[in-house]
Amino acid sequence: MAFNIKYLPLSLIATMAASFVFCMHVAMNHPETTPGPAQSLNDYTPVIYVVAASMCMYYVFLFYQSYTTFDELQKARKAFRDKKTKEAPDIKQIKYGVENVNVVAANRTAGNYTEQLVPFLLGLYFYSTYVSVQGAVKWGWIWLFFRSFYLIAFKLPFPCLLISTVPAYYCVWFMMGATLVTISN
């Protein structure tokens, strides 16, 4: 029996998800978090847990894109073999086409996460440096929570997607705005 390629990204999804859980576990068992701005490199430790968790989630979404493409290609090949479709499936057509809702959802999940990641990381760093490490960690975990179910919300009727995106944008904007207010005083 041939190796099914979709299990490669699926195994990586499991690895990154386990790593995310590990980051959460370590963060929850970390000693006190600095309530004010970071004063030393060690003060950034809880922020690094949030950053590591955000990277794990990023790779979960990227590997999910690959998994979904391979899974949908396998389904399309089966449909072609069973004569349910007339055209042989092409991986490029499935990966980059817009007809398959599962592939589009996986692509938008990774894409939207990527779009928000840089502003999030900058906001997290600025907020922990100028306002509060404890607050940055709190907002970081809240952001990750709302990002975590984007894929599910994307597949639901509009405006359900806003349940994931709007609070996540708020977290980023709050951290940036509070930092700007703090440094302007």
Side-chain angles (χ1 to χ4, degrees):
M1 181 171 182
F3 175 74
N4 191 332
I5 192 72
K6 76 178 183 181
Y7 293 120
L8 181 60
L10 188 60
S11 68
L12 296 169
I13 291 168
T15 302
M16 289 294 106
S19 299
F20 180 89
V21 171
F22 176 76
C23 290
M24 284 181 51
H25 171 73
V26 173
M28 290 188 324
N29 292 307
H30 187 268
E32 271 187 47
T33 305
T34 306
Q39 301 298 312
S40 70
L41 287 178
N42 287 338
D43 290 344
Y44 287 103
T45 301
V47 177
I48 293 170
Y49 297 141
V50 174
V51 171
S54 71
M55 292 298 105
C56 291
M57 187 176 286
Y58 177 62
Y59 281 101
V60 164
F61 292 153
L62 290 180
F63 294 137
Y64 187 76
Q65 271 185 298
S66 296
Y67 169 78
T68 302
T69 299
F70 292 136
D71 189 48
E72 294 300 319
L73 178 62
Q74 183 180 14
K75 290 176 190 175
R77 285 179 175 163
K78 183 177 179 343
F80 180 71
R81 278 192 312 271
D82 295 345
K83 309 266 190 249
K84 292 179 183 173
T85 59
K86 294 178 183 179
E87 192 176 318
D90 176 33
I91 192 164
K92 290 178 191 169
Q93 189 178 38
I94 290 173
K95 184 172 177 80
Y96 302 110
V98 293
E99 293 84 32
N100 189 304
V101 69
N102 294 325
V103 173
V104 170
N107 289 342
R108 282 311 311 140
T109 299
N112 191 268
Y113 191 87
T114 302
E115 292 161 9
Q116 282 201 25
L117 189 57
V118 171
F120 166 71
L121 293 174
L122 288 172
L124 193 69
Y125 172 72
F126 293 153
Y127 195 87
S128 62
T129 301
Y130 295 103
V131 182
S132 166
V133 172
Q134 194 173 53
V137 169
K138 177 188 79 171
W139 287 110
W141 287 113
I142 292 170
W143 183 83
L144 284 167
F145 169 75
F146 283 106
R147 300 310 307 157
S148 70
F149 60 86
Y150 181 94
L151 177 67
I152 296 165
F154 186 89
K155 292 181 180 183
L156 296 173
F158 189 80
C160 292
L161 181 61
L162 299 178
I163 295 168
S164 173
T165 57
V166 171
Y169 284 127
Y170 178 81
C171 291
V172 173
W173 295 335
F174 181 85
M175 288 189 292
M176 289 295 213
T179 300
L180 290 172
V181 167
T182 299
I183 63 174
S184 68
N185 290 332

